[in-house]
Amino acid sequence: MINNVLLYPFIKEMFPLIQAFKLFNINYDVFSYSNSKLINKDISTLTNMEKLGVNIKDISKANLDNYDYCYIPKLKENWLINSQICDFISQLKNKGIKVYNGNLEDDGGQDELPLYNDALSKLTNNFSNLANQITENRNYLHTICKPIFFIAQAQEFLDTEYLVLLTKKILEEEGFKVVTISGRKHLRLFNCLNYPEDFLSNSLSFSEKVLRLNHFIKAIEIKEIPDVFVLEVPGTVLRYSKYDLNFPEYPYIFREALNCNFIMLNLSVKYATTDQIEHILILCKNIFGYDIDLLNISNNITVFEQERKKTTYLYSENVKKILLNLNNNSNIPIIQAFAPESKATILNNIYK
């Protein structure tokens, strides 16, 4: 696990990652570029969440000697040509600071972070190779004997990755050996594995992906002997509009490839009414073949204005009021991931 992390430049998509650093007791500081209007503001500013008491700092005042890792998020294109970022990365390299650069994920350029690239990447490749051997020898669906948790999202939300890491943390604190797998490469920073690259690409057919996933998980079960799997389901369950081409392919693949013991669904506050939740729960059961065990309500509200996707964030206080009303009228437990009480709710429902 990493130790002292510098996060720069701050963008709202960092919020769940910062919460995860806090969850795993990793030291961090958050910076924005000089003269940014965000300096000295709480990191919750852009997402309308409760204040964390963590203010955004001026990067020109950073003492780089205090850090051994730097996280640079995936940025908009205009940032990529910003010489300030390039010069900053050079400074980090000169000081021997490891860098995770989210802008290089797609072409494999993240090898500056050994923990991120070497050990876990080799481990993933080993499991992938063993999965290939399983396919060659016994090309059918294998029974996975260990419990499996699915973490799925109705649409793309900031807090889904935090739900994955929160579930991992809860189970580890209970003494379980947990294997956590996600399509998000930066979650390797928390010792999570990634799915094989071909599984997340268009190079395999639906049926090939079903076998690939089943054999990959079986290979890990054979080699690692975990107590439990926590799997983030790639993609989404719902579509936003006719402009949204995110079809629920992977939820169906997971249904065909694996049995599941617990499903957590992340849902927008936009759908947080009793009638809409009931409809979505029925839809999800048809997709996964299992009932949803726990709902998370995200404060993300995403709509399409023609072909342009626009996301806003409801204030956390308003989400709390909605949750209170829903929990009084629902048969399924409903949480908000970043709320302190969510941890206990998840744990209680795991043991039901």
Side-chain angles (χ1 to χ4, degrees):
M1 194 74 77
I2 55 182
N3 296 310
N4 300 301
V5 186
L6 183 155
L7 298 102
Y8 172 75
F10 176 77
I11 57 175
K12 63 185 178 183
E13 287 79 9
M14 273 185 179
F15 186 79
L17 184 67
I18 294 169
Q19 288 276 36
F21 284 138
K22 181 179 177 183
L23 179 69
F24 284 86
N25 297 315
I26 296 170
N27 298 319
Y28 65 88
D29 286 306
V30 185
F31 293 87
S32 189
Y33 56 91
S34 297
N35 302 320
S36 167
K37 293 180 181 179
L38 294 174
I39 291 173
N40 294 325
K41 291 189 177 181
D42 193 271
I43 62 168
S44 63
T45 299
L46 299 181
T47 56
N48 290 334
M49 300 299 294
E50 287 187 14
K51 289 187 176 181
L52 293 183
V54 178
N55 288 346
I56 301 163
K57 301 179 180 181
D58 185 339
I59 192 60
S60 67
K61 299 178 181 178
N63 182 354
L64 299 184
D65 293 331
N66 293 336
Y67 308 99
D68 36 37
Y69 289 93
C70 175
Y71 175 89
I72 298 174
K74 192 165 189 175
L75 302 165
K76 294 180 180 179
E77 194 169 332
N78 63 325
W79 271 96
L80 301 183
I81 58 174
N82 190 329
S83 61
Q84 186 178 358
I85 291 288
C86 298
D87 292 344
F88 182 66
I89 291 175
S90 296
Q91 291 179 50
L92 295 170
K93 288 182 178 180
N94 290 337
K95 286 188 169 287
I97 297 172
K98 308 294 189 302
V99 178
Y100 167 86
N101 187 351
N103 304 288
L104 302 179
E105 276 191 352
D106 294 337
D107 59 12
Q110 67 279 0
D111 58 347
E112 295 171 37
L113 185 54
L115 174 64
Y116 171 87
N117 191 58
D118 292 346
L120 291 173
S121 183
K122 288 176 182 176
L123 196 57
T124 299
N125 289 336
N126 289 340
F127 294 140
S128 185
N129 292 334
L130 179 56
N132 289 336
Q133 295 174 25
I134 291 174
T135 303
E136 291 172 5
N137 296 331
R138 296 178 181 177
N139 195 18
Y140 56 79
L141 292 174
H142 292 254
T143 300
I144 310 301
C145 301
K146 301 300 182 180
I148 298 176
F149 286 48
F150 288 173
I151 313 294
Q153 57 182 0
Q155 295 170 331
E156 294 177 0
F157 302 125
L158 286 184
D159 39 6
T160 303
E161 64 183 85
Y162 183 76
L163 283 172
V164 173
L165 295 173
L166 179 61
T167 305
K168 166 184 164 70
K169 180 70 170 176
I170 289 169
L171 291 168
E172 287 176 344
E173 287 181 346
E174 288 296 296
F176 295 108
K177 181 179 180 180
V178 184
V179 168
T180 306
I181 311 176
S182 168
R184 305 172 195 266
K185 291 186 177 181
H186 62 271
L187 293 197
R188 291 189 195 177
L189 296 168
F190 300 90
N191 291 333
C192 299
L193 295 173
N194 287 145
Y195 296 108
E197 292 291 339
D198 57 356
F199 175 70
L200 297 176
S201 72
N202 295 322
S203 63
L204 300 179
S205 68
F206 181 92
S207 58
E208 288 172 331
K209 286 183 178 181
V210 169
L211 285 171
R212 186 74 166 124
L213 177 61
N214 176 268
H215 295 177
F216 182 66
I217 299 301
K218 189 62 181 178
I220 297 173
E221 184 180 53
I222 291 169
K223 295 293 288 185
E224 288 293 289
I225 317 177
D227 296 315
V228 61
F229 289 94
V230 174
L231 308 181
E232 181 181 358
V233 180
T236 61
V237 175
L238 301 179
R239 296 173 63 215
Y240 297 101
S241 74
K242 66 181 181 180
Y243 301 106
D244 178 17
L245 300 181
N246 287 313
F247 298 98
E249 176 190 17
Y250 284 99
Y252 280 109
I253 289 170
F254 274 65
R255 169 188 175 145
E256 297 299 327
L258 304 166
N259 291 324
C260 179
N261 301 88
F262 192 93
I263 306 181
M264 191 183 307
L265 178 70
N266 196 8
L267 185 67
S268 170
V269 68
K270 175 182 176 182
Y271 302 106
T273 67
T274 304
D275 290 343
Q276 289 190 97
I277 287 176
E278 184 178 343
H279 172 75
I280 290 169
L281 291 178
I282 292 171
L283 173 67
C284 288
K285 183 170 184 178
N286 290 334
I287 291 175
F288 287 109
Y290 298 94
D291 289 320
I292 300 299
D293 295 285
L294 189 145
L295 270 180
N296 178 75
I297 299 296
S298 171
N299 75 328
N300 294 41
I301 301 174
T302 300
V303 296
F304 268 77
E305 296 177 350
Q306 295 298 318
E307 298 182 27
R308 186 182 174 202
K309 188 166 71 172
K310 181 180 179 181
T311 301
T312 57
Y313 302 91
L314 189 66
Y315 283 98
S316 58
E317 286 300 317
N318 294 335
V319 176
K320 279 184 178 180
K321 294 175 184 176
I322 292 170
L323 256 63
L324 182 61
N325 180 59
L326 287 175
N327 276 313
N328 289 334
N329 298 281
S330 175
N331 294 323
I332 183 171
I334 303 174
I335 64 169
Q336 207 294 313
F338 301 122
E341 61 271 16
S342 62
K343 193 173 180 180
T345 303
I346 294 172
L347 182 60
N348 291 338
N349 282 276
I350 284 173
Y351 283 117
K352 272 191 175 179

